[in-house]
Amino acid sequence: MREFYFKENELWCENVVLKLIAERFGTPLYVYSKRSILDHCQHIEEALRGVDHLSCYAVKANANRSILRLIAGKELGADVGSIGELVLAIESGFTPEKITFSGVGKRDDEIEYALEKNILAFNVESEEELITLNGLAGQLKRPARIFLRVNFDVSSGTHPYITTSGKHSKFGVDQSEVKRILFRAQKLPSIEIIGIHSHLGSQITDQETFIHAAHLMVQLVDDLRRNGIPIKEVNFGGGFGVQYHDYISDPHLPQDGSIAEKTLTTVALLESVIPILRQINCKIIIQPGRSIVAHAGVLLTKVLYRKQNPEYTFIIVDAGMNDLIRPSLYQSYHQIVPLAIRDVDCEVVDVVGPLCEAGDFFALDRTMPRVNRGEYLSIMCTGAYGYVLSSNYNCRPRPAEVMVDGTNCEIISERELVDQL
Ligand code: LLP
């Protein structure tokens, strides 16, 4: 069941009316459903049942400690991209043996810390990083386990800013270089090769893209093994797209008509690649972020003003691009719905924030039920890459975060105050 739903014209999260949460904690406010997070973990684990695997949650998607604790409690591992994420992951209960470390620019101190903690593996992104890692591991007398990240040059059809494959991408090493680099790695005394890693990008909704990458991975592993490089595990990364359009429906709400996303599930994407990857008899690692937390969160905001010019209607809300930057940065779509539905007509509006930037918007030319000053809106599916990308731009304190669990709700991070700025 969906944890966000309309009942008697009000939007609920689990067993709580969201309007009451907005009134109690104020807006802008991120609200998460505990059940949704747990269910998403479980669906992924069920899709991988019977497969030797480890799912490492990509901490960058949502690094709230309470959320990390929940996911760690489901026995998942973690993928981190900085020392900060690594410290938070460990403190939240992820065991280092289940933590991978990704990123093109790992600093020496970050590598040393990760070596001291004896993490599962480094996803190595360049030859120079490999040599540096070997040197630091040698000094610390702690061998480093590695996956070499391969850039498969597969076009993923997602936004260019969240595409991580292709010739002009800083991520991974070119496929033509893999064998040479791994031959070199085999000779490095403090490096232990575990396998290869691929992460194509994020919010990839096309099954064929993943299938193509899985075939390339299988071919590469076969080739490497034939050349005497033992590959024990493959890390297939994350990037599994989620439904954003028409996420929630009600007879009063316009439907966006984006059919394609309706059948999209992480489970289906995973199920299409697992049989391919299993051909090589490797343990399979995945690093999903968005697909675990995106649907679990909403951003609540209050309408400050309506403003009309001869051609456009602006709904000015109290959340801004500093609270949720995805629409401004990637022109991402997030469904926006009123917390209380009234019997009113729909209108075409721009939903914009209060910041001094023309790019400060959540939706342009969007058909929505008419809302007035003082009403609340919910920006849907903002559990991933929402709060983590927030900033203090325009000296705006970050919003609070609340977790709903059945009929309970508790603050899981306090609203910042102006005097903390
Ligand atoms: N593994 C690696 C190495 C990554 O770089 C990422 C995300 C993931 C896993 C998790 O990918 P996911 O399953 O969440 O798609 N801020 C952007 C998304 C950036 C993704 C960065 N890397 C957005 O809001 O869409």
Side-chain angles (χ1 to χ4, degrees):
M1 198 193 92
R2 290 261 160 106
E3 285 73 20
F4 294 92
Y5 59 96
F6 277 103
K7 192 168 82 183
E8 286 150 12
N9 290 339
E10 301 216 76
L11 185 61
W12 293 61
C13 172
E14 300 197 13
N15 300 329
V16 186
V17 176
L18 277 168
K19 189 169 168 220
L20 299 180
I21 299 188
E23 284 168 353
R24 178 168 158 202
F25 297 102
T27 52
L29 182 73
Y30 277 97
V31 180
Y32 304 102
S33 155
K34 178 175 175 183
R35 173 102 330 262
S36 173
I37 297 169
L38 294 176
D39 282 355
H40 281 91
C41 292
Q42 194 160 326
H43 292 152
I44 289 178
E45 290 312 289
E46 275 166 16
L48 290 161
R49 183 170 294 163
V51 178
D52 185 14
H53 77 281
L54 176 66
S55 310
C56 291
Y57 167 65
V59 172
K60 56 174 75 75
N62 190 318
N64 182 287
R65 286 171 189 267
S66 300
I67 291 178
L68 295 181
R69 274 198 295 274
L70 273 186
I71 298 172
K74 293 294 277 185
E75 308 287 307
L76 271 72
D79 175 63
V80 300
S82 69
I83 189 167
E85 288 186 357
L86 179 53
V87 169
L88 255 68
I90 293 173
E91 285 180 2
S92 305
F94 289 98
T95 48
E97 310 89 76
K98 289 187 184 172
I99 298 181
T100 54
F101 193 167
S102 300
V104 294
K106 303 175 189 80
R107 293 194 314 255
D108 289 13
D109 64 304
E110 294 183 304
I111 292 174
E112 282 163 359
Y113 185 79
L115 285 168
E116 275 158 15
K117 291 291 167 189
N118 201 16
I119 63 164
L120 167 63
F122 293 82
N123 293 326
V124 169
E125 300 253 6
S126 67
E127 196 167 358
E128 197 158 20
E129 180 190 333
L130 178 72
I131 304 304
T132 306
L133 181 57
N134 178 58
L136 294 170
Q139 280 164 27
L140 290 176
K141 301 200 173 28
R142 289 212 177 240
R145 290 169 291 277
I146 66 144
F147 288 93
L148 182 64
R149 181 166 176 180
V150 187
N151 180 338
F152 278 126
D153 197 6
V154 170
S155 101
S156 58
T158 187
H159 189 280
Y161 290 2
I162 51 176
T163 296
T164 52
S165 45
K167 297 278 178 227
H168 201 161
S169 167
K170 66 177 177 180
F171 297 99
V173 302
D174 195 84
Q175 214 185 318
S176 60
E177 297 267 69
V178 174
K179 220 182 292 176
R180 185 184 62 73
I181 296 176
L182 286 181
F183 278 143
R184 187 166 183 196
Q186 275 186 315
K187 296 194 196 95
L188 298 174
S190 299
I191 296 291
E192 185 197 333
I193 302 167
I194 299 192
I196 52 172
H197 170 221
S198 154
H199 172 76
L200 304 169
S202 198
Q203 184 53 13
I204 299 170
T205 54
D206 173 32
Q207 220 173 49
E208 291 307 315
T209 301
F210 285 112
I211 291 175
H212 185 38
H215 282 300
L216 290 174
M217 204 140 192
V218 168
Q219 281 162 19
L220 180 61
V221 170
D222 281 342
D223 185 33
L224 292 171
R225 284 177 174 164
R226 272 198 304 274
N227 282 277
I229 301 170
I231 299 291
K232 290 183 270 184
E233 305 185 13
V234 287
N235 183 338
F236 198 62
F240 310 105
V242 304
Q243 178 185 357
Y244 282 102
H245 288 81
D246 293 337
Y247 177 72
I248 198 157
S249 57
D250 182 271
H252 294 86
L253 294 177
Q255 291 290 286
D256 198 62
S258 175
I259 311 296
E261 280 188 7
K262 285 208 163 161
T263 52
L264 177 74
T265 64
T266 302
V267 169
L269 291 173
L270 273 174
E271 284 175 348
S272 65
V273 293
I274 295 301
I276 304 168
L277 294 176
R278 285 188 92 169
Q279 293 167 18
I280 40 180
N281 281 321
C282 279
K283 180 169 182 175
I284 299 170
I285 314 287
I286 56 165
Q287 302 184 165
R290 188 189 310 267
S291 47
I292 292 180
V293 287
H295 286 174
V298 295
L299 174 59
L300 305 186
T301 184
K302 194 175 190 172
V303 178
L304 295 175
Y305 302 105
R306 288 179 61 89
K307 173 166 158 175
Q308 222 135 0
N309 73 19
E311 284 178 50
Y312 294 96
T313 302
F314 300 97
I315 304 297
I316 302 166
V317 297
D318 66 356
M321 65 189 284
N322 71 297
D323 303 305
L324 173 69
I325 203 171
R326 302 195 70 254
S328 311
L329 193 57
Y330 318 110
Q331 293 75 51
S332 306
Y333 177 97
H334 286 271
Q335 190 181 18
I336 305 180
V337 301
L339 289 194
I341 291 196
R342 295 177 295 117
D343 228 345
V344 289
D345 289 337
C346 284
E347 59 180 353
V348 178
V349 296
D350 286 358
V351 181
V352 301
L355 279 77
C356 303
E357 291 270 344
D360 178 29
F361 60 81
F362 296 116
L364 300 178
D365 295 321
R366 181 72 62 84
T367 305
M368 282 181 28
R370 186 191 159 97
V371 286
N372 293 321
R373 173 174 163 81
E375 283 185 64
Y376 292 104
L377 296 174
S378 175
I379 308 179
M380 305 304 296
C381 307
T382 47
Y385 306 109
Y387 188 89
V388 279
L389 276 160
S390 65
S391 76
N392 289 130
Y393 183 40
N394 273 204
C395 287
R396 287 169 51 85
R398 283 186 174 78
E401 296 180 285
V402 165
M403 177 87 81
V404 174
D405 178 12
T407 52
N408 292 332
C409 42
E410 62 165 326
I411 288 268
I412 55 170
S413 81
E414 294 285 348
R415 184 177 300 288
E416 279 181 353
L417 302 171
V418 169
D419 55 18
Q420 291 171 324
L421 294 177

